[in-house]
Amino acid sequence: MSFVFNPMPIVGLPVKDTDALFPVRRVYCVGRNYAAHAREMGFDPDREPPFFFCKPNDPESIVPVPAGEAVTIPYPTQTSNYHYEIELVVAIGKDGKNISVEEAAKYVFGYAVGLDMTRRDLQMAHREKGRPWEVGKAFDYSAPVGLIHTLEQAGEITSGDIHLTVNGETKQRSDLTHLLWNVAETIANLSTLFELKAGDLIFTGTPEGVGAVVRGDQMHAEVAGLTGITVNVA
């Protein structure tokens, strides 16, 4: 059997201390998972059930950031309010559904630093009209992701500093203990909605301090214990 045209290639993310790549299947994102960020976006930060949205898993959207290197992404079209959002990214290593919180760590392959880049003006305009806001989140070059550290290398991550700088100035800083839904709870909840598969990525949410970048800006994102990423905007 042949295809009518060549299928999309699989995105592979680098894994620490190996030449093998992590094949990306689906990309899930958790919305408003830090109370302070929920407040700055105009929402009640009470701990309600998490909600999810997705980003594309294609090579035009997922941007692997090799260790020790900076990558450059273009300023996207149709926006004048282009925002950074640093996030802890969880890489899923085996299939599962209806996973318990207690068993969730067994499904983690590893962790990485990621950026959920956002066309905020488009997101807000569609949200106010009650429309889906994929155009604000699911666009080309919207998901830079760094080196994956395996669970064995990093240990189960439940706390630690998460911060982002723009041109050397700190813009976002928090601790992973401030997640409204921690990694295990997020995996458990998401697995009731979808059967998670090896290769899935989960962006776990961003802390307060989100803001705009322009052409020529440089972002540097770090999570304690993981390899940071540097991303330039062109």
Side-chain angles (χ1 to χ4, degrees):
M1 182 180 70
S2 62
F3 294 98
V4 296
F5 49 81
N6 290 331
M8 179 186 74
I10 295 173
V11 177
L13 294 175
V15 179
K16 181 177 171 62
D17 296 334
T18 179
D19 292 331
L21 298 175
F22 179 89
V24 177
R25 177 181 172 265
R26 290 182 180 172
V27 183
Y28 300 101
C29 304
V30 187
R32 298 195 294 269
N33 204 20
Y34 287 80
H37 174 58
R39 290 190 190 97
E40 74 178 353
M41 298 303 293
F43 292 93
D44 187 334
D46 285 347
R47 194 172 185 261
E48 60 183 1
F51 72 91
F52 302 93
F53 59 93
C54 293
K55 283 181 177 281
N57 66 342
D58 57 72
E60 286 69 41
S61 299
I62 307 298
V63 184
V65 185
E69 299 181 23
V71 300
T72 299
I73 59 176
Y75 194 96
T77 60
Q78 300 296 315
T79 185
S80 59
N81 198 18
Y82 181 43
H83 278 209
Y84 51 79
E85 295 189 8
I86 183 177
E87 308 207 8
L88 171 69
V89 178
V90 179
I92 297 298
K94 67 176 184 176
D95 303 356
K97 59 183 178 180
N98 297 317
I99 300 166
S100 69
V101 171
E102 294 74 22
E103 295 289 309
K106 295 179 180 179
Y107 292 81
V108 175
F109 174 82
Y111 307 91
V113 180
L115 290 175
D116 170 17
M117 300 304 296
T118 303
R119 294 191 283 201
R120 189 72 72 198
D121 43 2
L122 298 186
Q123 180 195 23
M124 293 300 190
H126 282 69
R127 190 186 78 189
E128 289 168 3
K129 294 178 181 178
R131 297 174 179 173
W133 32 269
E134 278 86 351
V135 293
K137 289 287 190 178
F139 54 93
D140 292 351
Y141 309 103
S142 63
V145 182
L147 185 71
I148 294 177
H149 293 233
T150 66
L151 181 65
E152 291 73 22
Q153 292 165 339
E156 186 177 355
I157 295 180
T158 58
S159 63
D161 181 69
I162 177 171
H163 74 272
L164 176 138
T165 64
V166 177
N167 302 327
E169 181 181 352
T170 298
K171 298 293 186 177
Q172 291 185 273
R173 174 152 252 153
S174 189
D175 192 280
L176 296 172
T177 56
H178 294 157
L179 283 165
L180 292 173
W181 295 89
N182 63 31
V183 170
E185 292 169 330
T186 296
I187 291 171
N189 192 287
L190 183 59
S191 73
T192 69
L193 299 169
F194 306 92
E195 181 175 2
L196 297 180
K197 298 280 190 177
D200 289 344
L201 298 178
I202 304 173
F203 281 64
T204 58
T206 196
E208 68 275 17
V210 299
V213 285
V214 297
R215 291 180 177 88
D217 281 347
Q218 182 177 85
M219 299 171 286
H220 184 73
E222 290 194 1
V223 173
L226 302 178
T227 301
I229 60 174
T230 299
V231 179
N232 301 313
V233 182

